[in-house]
Amino acid sequence: MEDKLKQLKTILAEISDLEYAVFLLAWDQQTYMPPAGAEERGQQIGTLNKLAHRRFTSDEVGKLLDELAPAVAQLPPDSDEARLIKVTRRKYEQYTKVPSEMIVELAELTSIAFSVWQQARPENNFAKFQPYLEKIVDNRRRYAELFAPYDHIYDPLLDRYEPGMKTAQVQAIFNQLRPQQVELIQAISAKPQVDDSFLHQAYNGQKQWDFGVEVITKFGYPWNRGRQDKAAHPFTTEMGLNDVRITTRILPEYIGSALFSTMHECGHALYDLGIDPALARTPLSNLASLALHESQSRMWENLVGRSLPFWEHFYPRLQEYFPAQLGNIDLWTFYKGINKVEPSLIRVEADEATYNLHIMLRLELEIALMEGSLQVKDLPEAWNSRMQEYLGVTPPNDSDGVLQDVHWSDGYIGYFSTYALGNLISLQLWERINADLPDLSEQIRHGEFSSLLGWLRENIHHHGAKYEAQEMVKRITGSEINPAAYMRYIKTKYGEIYGL
Amino acid sequence: MEDKLKQLKTILAEISDLEYAVFLLAWDQQTYMPPAGAEERGQQIGTLNKLAHRRFTSDEVGKLLDELAPAVAQLPPDSDEARLIKVTRRKYEQYTKVPSEMIVELAELTSIAFSVWQQARPENNFAKFQPYLEKIVDNRRRYAELFAPYDHIYDPLLDRYEPGMKTAQVQAIFNQLRPQQVELIQAISAKPQVDDSFLHQAYNGQKQWDFGVEVITKFGYPWNRGRQDKAAHPFTTEMGLNDVRITTRILPEYIGSALFSTMHECGHALYDLGIDPALARTPLSNLASLALHESQSRMWENLVGRSLPFWEHFYPRLQEYFPAQLGNIDLWTFYKGINKVEPSLIRVEADEATYNLHIMLRLELEIALMEGSLQVKDLPEAWNSRMQEYLGVTPPNDSDGVLQDVHWSDGYIGYFSTYALGNLISLQLWERINADLPDLSEQIRHGEFSSLLGWLRENIHHHGAKYEAQEMVKRITGSEINPAAYMRYIKTKYGEIYGL
């Protein structure tokens, strides 16, 4: 058994090294690669992904997993070894179900679809994108069918991004959440609106960068194990457990972008930086679930970074950086400004009160597409009517409507709900953390984050991908994923800000 | 045949993509990687190298090469296809001769030897390094023996870095060169020395960088296909034919380092940037020979960058950058300063007149170690006595003597002579180029380099690794590699500078 496990780990380490190399190739592509390198870079990423996939789905891995299967019963069920075999087997079964022709087909399809989408969005031309999206939907339906029987055809797609989660569960959660969130937004709309114009002025880029660095240094981002660079679309990536990098985007006329994206990505990075080194170079050091990961980025961005205690500490410092812009803006005005609620067209610009509604809309449309109850050609109309229903706004064009996200052109169907689940989980964890660390607010008010990070490391980060999201949330909070904590939070927060 | 060649090319493309990924992993390691990432990075580079090696030495490649062998006779001998099969076969036979245990042994050995050397050099402690170097020498002797019968035991080592070149050939070339070069240096020593103190003052780093960028932009370095970054030890690397990157090192108190290293690395990069795209992702787009490659870097650094016509154009501009430092230094004084001859202890700081002697010394010692006529323990003494004989200086300690180079600790035995051969080749080519482009000096005097680059692209760069160094030099100049042109050059140049 020992010997078989060692053989398996040797193969998994090779695959892990290939994956890290892909992450570096992709990081470099977004940061420093000279433009003419793009075509060759695409080939390199394609080749390394193919080699990693080929090795992982090899008969050798299958045989080792079969041989190790009886041993799992002997191991403590939460041991690294038992979990490693379980998670690897799950992934192996998922991967080997998919014929390589389908993977190649999707890769080729999305490569074209992405460039068509890049043209179609500025041209406001959904019709141009439609035939490619139809093919992607068809490919994804055929993918899902490989996993029949299923409770719901959307399950296998969701499972790719959120292991173990079922469509029915997500629907149940969102059905609870939606009416309360719509009601809250309507209540806010009836109140006088918040002014955030002071956030939209000229802010020196280097100073924005420096302030962000100051903040995440206090959060505990270890600069000897990571770095920050600029990228058009901020992201976190890692080339190992000791090399977890973030990127940010600085807008010269709006301070909100770099500031909150830096904190958000730092939240992701701190998760990966906290994974137990014993899990290195195995699938257990990958992310457990996108929702759990997003719970960490959202926690640092929103529950810490948009909180009043945080700014009681940092606002005087920010005013020192930007006396001309913020010298005459008091703390409460600033706090309200960065928490302004405004139903808007674009998901990535949405505030905490409206964000989840953008997600629910997408989830519902994706499910309908997979069920076949909605045709791709009818998407724009379905999009617009739901926007009106949930957010009270109707996109004036498809560029700011159905064409806004890159995900579908990349073949990412099944992904979106993890964003909203992450929001909900962040609050379930937050209530638990505040019970365990009763003076957390006071610590944050003093710019002190080590207890918080310590708690997250011990209870979440350390475990890597050993537990799925539901299991992790239940272990920590005693409950399954649900929206109660989130609703308590936004009702209280926006109640104060808007005087509801 | 078509089909077999296509299969071979598919495999070679995969290997090429793995190698490019390794180059990016290594580039990042030297430029942007956070320090704690070093250990994992080492694993990743090791794994990808192993996968590339495993694939290249696979039976599948051997079988394809066997099947393609008869076809080569049908192909035009200089065709891409014939050369591809020939070069691939040569490399395959070389690689498959070496048992993987020997490769692993060397990798483990050099990994330790490198860190021991890093300690031993500042401690001036050759005895500490000696046992590791003994093991490396032993490993390299056993490597060479795998290729028996050979004309000389050093041949297989030389062949690793300079395909097709024999020890006897290099010895014959160097035996012609050495006495003439020693004589020249003695003549220079008898003359009044040149003042270059003005090069050693405070020079703003950003301005040094900017001037270097201006120069290589004029050389024709295409910034959409490459970039420059800072690194402790300047190097050139590529992640594809359209992504060839250079690095430089800026010393705040000496302008010579960044300036000439930027030109040197640009010379390397222009080679790779000129390779025929039809050779992409095959061994023919790798470097043909280290000597040929070095001929290009030396040409741009020395024959262009240390020439009077070059500075007639650029010196007024450099004076604009640094009026305080160079405003009162006239062109001729500056030109003499950057061409100062001074027999010194350290190879990497050596001038054009003395550099080759540092190389010859190393070659002779390496050959003696391989032959067994010199023991590792006797190296320091052998080093010092040859330094006295060739350069008239004796190292006061081993740090600045036998311990100065990293190469041996890395297992690079067989490498050094390519540096000197590159110098000789650069002059053989230079005479040919000046015959073909009679107004080249005049063009350079006007900051015009496109004819030169065009000539190099067409006659050298374009061919990638299709021809070995001897063959390439003979095709272009009609002669084999020899020191006559080099001696003509340094005698004329230093004759003028020192009034010989």
Side-chain angles (χ1 to χ4, degrees):
Chain A
M1 204 289 261
E2 281 292 309
D3 194 48
K4 300 286 171 200
L5 192 59
K6 205 177 149 197
Q7 285 177 43
L8 181 65
K9 280 185 175 177
T10 302
I11 297 172
L12 294 175
E14 273 186 14
I15 293 166
S16 170
D17 287 342
L18 281 168
E19 287 168 346
Y20 283 137
V22 169
F23 293 157
L24 180 65
L25 289 162
W27 172 85
D28 181 72
Q29 193 173 32
Q30 304 291 324
T31 52
Y32 295 117
M33 185 186 76
E39 190 184 333
E40 291 169 308
R41 184 55 52 88
Q43 292 168 342
Q44 293 151 13
I45 291 175
T47 293
L48 267 66
N49 274 332
K50 189 176 67 183
L51 293 177
H53 187 266
R54 191 190 285 166
R55 190 91 171 108
F56 187 73
T57 57
S58 66
D59 294 343
E60 199 182 350
V61 170
K63 192 161 164 283
L64 285 168
L65 286 170
D66 284 345
E67 289 164 345
L68 285 164
V72 177
Q74 319 293 321
L75 290 163
D78 287 351
S79 66
D80 291 352
E81 292 73 18
R83 290 283 172 167
L84 174 63
I85 297 167
K86 188 182 157 208
V87 167
T88 306
R89 165 138 227 132
R90 183 188 179 290
K91 211 171 145 186
Y92 178 80
E93 284 171 2
Q94 189 185 53
Y95 281 26
T96 48
K97 270 221 173 81
V98 189
S100 55
E101 300 76 41
M102 187 180 281
I103 297 170
V104 171
E105 181 194 300
L106 186 70
E108 288 172 357
L109 196 51
T110 53
S111 153
I112 305 166
F114 174 70
S115 56
V116 171
W117 170 78
Q118 280 186 311
Q119 296 158 18
R121 193 185 175 197
E123 291 173 12
N124 185 31
N125 187 347
F126 181 76
K128 191 173 197 168
F129 182 51
Q130 183 187 319
Y132 299 93
L133 184 54
E134 282 168 350
K135 283 181 191 155
I136 289 171
V137 168
D138 176 63
N139 179 290
R140 295 294 81 192
R141 285 184 64 127
R142 283 183 284 121
Y143 172 89
E145 280 158 13
L146 297 170
F147 295 85
Y150 36 67
D151 296 336
H152 192 286
I153 190 173
Y154 190 76
D155 281 353
L157 296 165
L158 179 60
D159 195 72
R160 277 172 68 87
Y161 304 104
E162 201 48 56
M165 187 68 73
K166 299 286 182 195
T167 307
Q169 291 175 300
V170 180
Q171 285 175 317
I173 295 165
F174 285 4
N175 285 340
Q176 268 188 281
L177 179 63
R178 191 173 43 247
Q180 300 181 67
Q181 206 156 355
V182 170
E183 191 187 343
L184 175 71
I185 290 164
Q186 286 167 349
I188 290 172
S189 300
K191 292 285 176 177
Q193 292 312 292
V194 156
D195 175 30
D196 71 343
S197 58
F198 54 87
L199 300 174
H200 297 269
Q201 324 174 48
Y203 283 90
N204 176 277
Q206 185 60 47
K207 288 185 181 174
Q208 289 194 51
W209 174 277
D210 292 344
F211 180 74
V213 165
E214 245 185 79
V215 168
I216 64 173
T217 302
K218 285 263 193 172
F219 282 178
Y221 184 75
W223 294 99
N224 66 327
R225 300 173 62 209
R227 51 179 292 118
Q228 182 176 250
D229 298 273
K230 291 177 192 164
H233 302 281
F235 62 95
T236 301
T237 186
E238 69 275 346
M239 291 95 211
L241 294 185
N242 285 306
D243 183 356
V244 183
R245 306 183 186 187
I246 61 176
T247 56
T248 193
R249 173 178 47 188
I250 294 174
L251 301 181
E253 301 285 337
Y254 173 53
I255 198 181
S257 176
L259 187 54
F260 293 106
S261 110
T262 296
M263 292 195 257
H264 180 97
E265 301 307 332
C266 177
H268 279 303
L270 290 172
Y271 192 149
D272 295 327
L273 288 159
I275 293 174
D276 183 357
L279 308 180
R281 299 171 94 206
T282 76
L284 295 187
S285 66
N286 296 349
L287 45 82
S289 96
L290 290 175
L292 267 182
H293 230 282
E294 193 74 4
S295 81
Q296 299 303 288
S297 57
R298 289 292 183 171
M299 187 180 286
W300 290 96
E301 176 194 356
N302 290 333
L303 311 189
V304 175
R306 289 187 211 263
S307 76
L308 197 54
F310 175 88
W311 287 108
E312 287 180 45
H313 179 78
F314 278 106
Y315 191 56
R317 186 73 183 128
L318 187 64
Q319 287 177 310
E320 284 176 33
Y321 272 96
F322 299 108
Q325 293 89 338
L326 298 175
N328 295 320
I329 306 294
D330 67 28
L331 173 63
W332 180 248
T333 305
F334 178 80
Y335 172 71
K336 285 199 297 178
I338 59 167
N339 284 295
K340 182 184 180 181
V341 174
E342 187 169 42
S344 68
L345 301 171
I346 307 297
R347 174 183 60 85
V348 295
E349 295 165 7
D351 51 75
E352 285 183 273
T354 58
Y355 189 91
N356 290 340
L357 294 169
H358 290 270
I359 295 305
M360 292 181 218
L361 170 157
R362 284 158 178 76
L363 177 73
E364 289 161 21
L365 297 179
E366 285 187 356
I367 290 174
L369 286 171
M370 282 304 122
E371 286 174 341
S373 58
L374 176 68
Q375 302 304 308
V376 171
K377 69 174 169 50
D378 300 324
L379 256 183
E381 202 190 309
W383 183 286
N384 293 347
S385 66
R386 269 195 181 69
M387 281 297 287
Q388 186 59 46
E389 187 185 342
Y390 296 167
L391 287 154
V393 291
T394 299
N397 55 54
D398 291 337
S399 300
D400 291 338
V402 69
L403 283 172
Q404 71 182 260
D405 296 306
V406 67
H407 300 59
W408 290 341
S409 78
D410 268 348
Y412 282 29
I413 294 177
Y415 190 106
F416 279 117
S417 61
T418 64
Y419 290 131
L421 293 172
N423 284 333
L424 306 189
I425 294 170
S426 74
L427 264 301
Q428 291 182 269
L429 297 173
W430 195 243
E431 288 191 349
R432 177 76 257 163
I433 294 167
N434 279 276
D436 288 353
L437 306 172
D439 66 338
L440 180 57
S441 283
E442 199 50 31
Q443 291 184 28
I444 293 176
R445 191 170 284 119
H446 289 88
E448 178 51 63
F449 305 96
S450 56
S451 305
L452 172 60
L453 182 56
W455 190 99
L456 293 171
R457 284 223 172 112
E458 184 187 335
N459 291 284
I460 301 173
H461 306 170
H462 182 78
H463 301 302
K466 281 177 73 173
Y467 309 112
E468 293 173 355
Q470 279 289 21
E471 187 179 4
M472 182 77 100
V473 172
K474 198 153 185 188
R475 287 170 86 99
I476 294 174
T477 70
S479 311
E480 296 209 324
I481 300 169
N482 73 77
Y486 190 77
M487 283 313 304
R488 279 194 286 276
Y489 163 72
I490 56 171
K491 278 182 184 163
T492 307
K493 180 169 184 174
Y494 293 106
E496 281 170 17
I497 291 173
Y498 284 92
L500 302 178
Chain B
M1 205 286 261
E2 282 292 308
D3 194 48
K4 299 286 171 202
L5 192 59
K6 206 178 148 195
Q7 285 177 43
L8 181 64
K9 280 186 175 176
T10 302
I11 297 172
L12 294 175
E14 273 185 13
I15 294 165
S16 170
D17 288 343
L18 281 168
E19 287 168 347
Y20 284 136
V22 168
F23 293 157
L24 180 65
L25 289 162
W27 172 86
D28 181 73
Q29 194 173 33
Q30 304 291 324
T31 52
Y32 296 116
M33 186 187 76
E39 190 184 333
E40 291 169 309
R41 183 55 51 89
Q43 292 168 342
Q44 292 150 15
I45 291 175
T47 293
L48 267 66
N49 274 332
K50 189 177 66 185
L51 294 177
H53 188 267
R54 191 190 286 165
R55 190 92 171 107
F56 187 73
T57 57
S58 66
D59 294 342
E60 199 182 350
V61 170
K63 193 160 164 283
L64 284 169
L65 287 170
D66 284 344
E67 289 164 343
L68 285 164
V72 177
Q74 319 293 322
L75 290 164
D78 287 353
S79 66
D80 290 353
E81 292 73 20
R83 291 282 171 166
L84 173 63
I85 296 166
K86 189 182 156 206
V87 167
T88 306
R89 166 138 227 134
R90 184 187 179 291
K91 212 171 145 186
Y92 178 81
E93 283 170 4
Q94 190 185 52
Y95 282 26
T96 49
K97 271 222 173 82
V98 188
S100 54
E101 300 76 42
M102 186 180 282
I103 298 171
V104 171
E105 182 194 301
L106 186 70
E108 289 172 357
L109 195 51
T110 53
S111 154
I112 304 166
F114 173 71
S115 57
V116 171
W117 171 77
Q118 279 185 311
Q119 297 157 17
R121 191 184 176 195
E123 290 172 12
N124 186 29
N125 187 347
F126 180 76
K128 189 173 200 169
F129 182 52
Q130 182 187 321
Y132 299 93
L133 184 54
E134 281 167 351
K135 283 182 192 154
I136 289 171
V137 167
D138 176 64
N139 179 290
R140 295 294 79 192
R141 285 183 64 125
R142 282 184 283 120
Y143 172 88
E145 281 158 13
L146 297 170
F147 294 84
Y150 36 66
D151 297 337
H152 192 287
I153 190 173
Y154 190 76
D155 281 353
L157 296 164
L158 180 60
D159 194 72
R160 276 172 68 88
Y161 304 104
E162 202 49 56
M165 188 68 73
K166 300 285 180 194
T167 307
Q169 291 175 299
V170 180
Q171 285 175 317
I173 295 166
F174 285 3
N175 285 341
Q176 270 187 279
L177 179 63
R178 191 174 43 247
Q180 300 181 68
Q181 208 157 354
V182 170
E183 191 187 342
L184 176 71
I185 291 164
Q186 285 166 351
I188 290 172
S189 301
K191 292 285 176 176
Q193 291 312 292
V194 155
D195 174 33
D196 71 344
S197 58
F198 54 88
L199 299 174
H200 298 268
Q201 330 173 43
Y203 283 90
N204 175 277
Q206 185 59 48
K207 287 185 182 175
Q208 289 194 52
W209 175 277
D210 292 344
F211 180 73
V213 165
E214 243 184 82
V215 168
I216 64 173
T217 302
K218 285 262 193 174
F219 282 178
Y221 185 75
W223 294 99
N224 66 325
R225 301 173 60 209
R227 52 179 292 118
Q228 181 176 251
D229 297 272
K230 291 179 194 164
H233 302 282
F235 63 94
T236 301
T237 186
E238 69 275 346
M239 291 94 211
L241 295 186
N242 286 306
D243 184 356
V244 183
R245 306 183 186 187
I246 61 176
T247 56
T248 193
R249 173 179 48 188
I250 293 174
L251 301 181
E253 301 284 337
Y254 173 54
I255 197 179
S257 176
L259 187 54
F260 293 106
S261 109
T262 295
M263 292 194 259
H264 181 97
E265 301 306 333
C266 177
H268 279 302
L270 289 173
Y271 194 151
D272 295 327
L273 288 159
I275 293 174
D276 183 356
L279 308 179
R281 299 171 93 204
T282 76
L284 296 187
S285 66
N286 297 349
L287 45 85
S289 95
L290 290 176
L292 267 183
H293 229 283
E294 193 74 5
S295 80
Q296 300 302 289
S297 57
R298 289 291 183 172
M299 186 180 288
W300 290 96
E301 176 194 356
N302 290 333
L303 310 189
V304 175
R306 290 186 210 265
S307 76
L308 197 54
F310 175 89
W311 288 107
E312 286 179 45
H313 179 79
F314 278 106
Y315 191 56
R317 185 74 183 126
L318 186 65
Q319 288 178 308
E320 284 175 34
Y321 272 97
F322 299 108
Q325 294 89 338
L326 298 174
N328 295 321
I329 306 294
D330 67 29
L331 173 64
W332 181 249
T333 305
F334 178 80
Y335 172 71
K336 285 198 296 178
I338 59 168
N339 284 295
K340 182 183 180 181
V341 174
E342 188 170 42
S344 68
L345 301 170
I346 307 296
R347 174 183 60 84
V348 296
E349 295 164 7
D351 50 77
E352 285 182 272
T354 58
Y355 189 92
N356 290 339
L357 293 168
H358 290 269
I359 297 304
M360 292 181 218
L361 170 157
R362 285 158 177 77
L363 177 74
E364 288 162 21
L365 297 178
E366 286 187 356
I367 290 174
L369 286 171
M370 284 302 122
E371 285 175 341
S373 58
L374 176 68
Q375 302 304 308
V376 171
K377 70 174 170 48
D378 300 323
L379 255 183
E381 202 190 309
W383 182 286
N384 294 347
S385 67
R386 268 196 181 68
M387 280 297 288
Q388 186 59 47
E389 186 186 341
Y390 297 165
L391 286 155
V393 292
T394 299
N397 55 53
D398 292 336
S399 300
D400 291 337
V402 69
L403 283 172
Q404 70 183 262
D405 296 304
V406 66
H407 299 58
W408 291 341
S409 77
D410 268 347
Y412 282 29
I413 294 178
Y415 190 107
F416 279 118
S417 61
T418 65
Y419 290 132
L421 293 171
N423 285 333
L424 306 189
I425 295 170
S426 73
L427 263 301
Q428 292 181 269
L429 298 173
W430 194 242
E431 290 191 350
R432 177 76 256 163
I433 294 167
N434 280 273
D436 287 353
L437 305 172
D439 66 337
L440 180 58
S441 284
E442 200 50 32
Q443 291 184 27
I444 294 176
R445 193 169 284 119
H446 290 89
E448 178 52 61
F449 304 95
S450 56
S451 306
L452 172 59
L453 181 56
W455 191 99
L456 294 170
R457 283 223 173 111
E458 183 187 336
N459 291 284
I460 301 173
H461 306 170
H462 181 78
H463 301 302
K466 281 178 73 174
Y467 309 113
E468 293 173 354
Q470 279 289 21
E471 187 179 3
M472 182 77 99
V473 172
K474 199 154 185 188
R475 288 169 84 98
I476 294 175
T477 70
S479 311
E480 297 209 323
I481 300 169
N482 73 77
Y486 189 77
M487 283 313 304
R488 279 194 286 276
Y489 164 73
I490 57 172
K491 278 182 183 162
T492 308
K493 180 170 184 174
Y494 294 105
E496 281 169 20
I497 292 173
Y498 283 92
L500 303 177

